[in-house]
Amino acid sequence: MKMTLEKIDVLMKDCTLCPRRCHANRSAGERGFCGQTAEITAARAALHFWEEPCICGRQGSGTVFFTGCNLQCVFCQNFSIAHTTSDAHAIPHAGFSLSSHQLVRIFLNLQEQGAANINLVTAGHFLPQICLALQTAKSQGLSIPIVYNSSAYEEPDSLRLLEGLVDIYLPDMKYQSPKLSAEYSHAPDYFAKASDAIREMFRQTGPPVFSENGLMKTGVIVRHLLLPGQAGDSKRVLRYLHSTYGSNIYISIMNQYTPLAHTAQIPGLNRRVSQEEYGRVLDFAYKIGIERGYMQVDNTALESFIPVFDGEGLDVGTF
């Protein structure tokens, strides 16, 4: 469906883009569960070198970090820009406001800098606006792949708006346990919703396709971040992904969970994942036959891996 300003206004007046279905009138300035109105806000747009090798390559992924989030995980590694609700720990004014025209210019600037792709991080609550910006940017010469980097807590109907615009999906699969997803993300239905979303993502892209230099052109990479003490749930997630998709997707098994100040008092989240825990999950992955995937080496659980959200790359002017 070709996106227009009129369609954006309709979708924003009664927002049901994500599984929260909060019905906020974001066009009138109401904030949805995601903490955002209809105004696009972002915190950083720059070359990013810490993604999977087939995403960032040597030149870096042109990554745009949007503010707000519909999941609001208590352990969020990008807490300062994701938690923009009215709760006690939120930062209500995080991020910089952007017009659709400015977003187009950001995409084109990143391509001019040599980015391997445009990487849209936590963009689902601005999905209609981003569709319009992508349509415009592509008409103005944007030709590198588009990566949709998501928690996977999405509605398939909303994802269908991206068909033909997004080349690579990079969703999380955070939990299998409804108890964990309720406790840590206020979303007991997370696994069911994420499963449906990833199914739609795979329908759009099919199996992975790579360029001659090893960069992904189309496909799905599902990320799973281990949480301390939750190796059993991690194994259930990996078994589901492998039994459902086999070698038709890549699975990125991550050990970079970093306990930050806001998790210091949360039992179970106030420590890093041990090497023994991570080793057991990797052994399980090998045992069940996961061959297409990524693992992380030591020293990834460092705060220095979290970008500085200072507005870099967002000052593109207006036209």
Side-chain angles (χ1 to χ4, degrees):
M1 177 179 74
K2 185 175 177 61
M3 189 56 62
T4 64
L5 290 173
E6 292 74 21
K7 290 174 182 175
I8 291 173
D9 189 53
V10 169
L11 291 167
M12 290 289 104
K13 280 183 174 177
D14 182 28
C15 191
T16 58
L17 286 174
C18 83
R20 302 293 186 187
R21 303 183 74 83
C22 65
H23 295 280
N25 185 348
R26 294 170 60 193
S27 288
E30 291 182 14
R31 294 184 181 272
F33 187 95
C34 60
Q36 299 297 297
T37 67
E39 184 177 49
I40 305 167
T41 57
R44 176 184 169 90
L47 298 179
H48 190 61
F49 296 89
W50 302 331
E51 308 287 35
E52 286 74 8
C54 69
I55 297 295
C56 62
R58 293 184 177 181
Q59 62 265 59
S61 178
T63 305
V64 184
F65 288 89
F66 294 91
T67 54
C69 179
N70 70 338
L71 202 51
Q72 303 285 313
C73 301
V74 297
F75 58 83
C76 181
Q77 307 292 274
N78 295 338
F79 191 92
S80 64
I81 64 169
H83 282 244
T84 55
T85 64
S86 58
D87 68 42
H89 300 289
I91 303 177
H93 303 296
F96 299 79
S97 298
L98 298 171
S99 69
S100 178
H101 292 302
Q102 287 172 313
L103 193 55
V104 169
R105 174 48 51 195
I106 287 168
F107 295 160
L108 294 173
N109 280 352
L110 289 168
Q111 178 172 261
E112 290 166 8
Q113 292 174 43
N117 44 59
I118 299 298
N119 188 347
L120 309 169
V121 180
T122 317
H125 45 292
F126 298 125
L127 192 149
Q129 297 92 321
I130 286 168
C131 286
L132 180 60
L134 286 174
Q135 287 170 188
T136 305
K138 285 174 181 281
S139 73
Q140 295 181 13
L142 183 66
S143 59
I144 55 179
I146 307 301
V147 180
Y148 189 76
N149 190 328
S150 162
S151 72
Y153 197 56
E154 310 262 11
E155 288 287 3
D157 284 348
S158 296
L159 291 171
R160 290 185 189 105
L161 297 174
L162 294 168
E163 189 161 8
L165 295 173
V166 166
D167 305 284
I168 299 164
Y169 282 100
L170 188 58
D172 296 334
M173 175 61 90
K174 294 179 181 292
Y175 328 90
Q176 189 275 336
S177 164
K179 181 177 182 296
L180 278 180
S181 60
E183 182 176 358
Y184 291 159
S185 297
H186 324 291
D189 59 347
Y190 174 83
F191 179 73
K193 292 296 185 180
S195 298
D196 288 345
I198 293 171
R199 185 178 304 113
E200 172 60 22
M201 294 173 184
F202 180 73
R203 184 196 68 79
Q204 291 184 25
T205 69
V209 176
F210 293 85
S211 65
E212 292 181 358
N213 61 1
L215 291 173
M216 183 175 278
K217 296 170 63 178
T218 62
V220 177
I221 303 174
V222 181
R223 289 172 162 173
H224 175 68
L225 175 69
L226 271 72
L227 295 175
Q230 302 300 336
D233 196 62
S234 292
K235 291 177 181 180
R236 288 188 286 274
V237 167
L238 296 181
R239 186 181 292 281
Y240 166 77
L241 290 171
H242 185 61
S243 64
T244 304
Y245 297 102
S247 295
N248 288 315
I249 64 169
Y250 274 70
I251 301 173
S252 185
I253 307 172
M254 307 169 75
N255 71 346
Q256 70 185 49
Y257 170 73
T258 304
L260 301 175
H262 60 275
T263 58
Q265 304 303 318
I266 302 177
L269 292 178
N270 55 5
R271 68 171 178 87
R272 295 176 178 174
V273 172
S274 70
Q275 291 184 2
E276 188 273 335
E277 286 174 301
Y278 189 53
R280 280 193 285 122
V281 172
L282 290 181
D283 287 345
F284 177 80
Y286 299 144
K287 180 180 178 180
I288 65 174
I290 294 176
E291 296 177 346
R292 286 188 158 184
Y294 294 97
M295 57 178 283
Q296 291 183 315
V297 296
D298 295 340
N299 300 319
T300 54
L302 298 172
E303 290 188 45
S304 60
F305 280 78
I306 301 172
V308 177
F309 298 118
D310 57 0
E312 180 181 353
L314 300 178
D315 185 14
V316 294
T318 58
F319 57 93

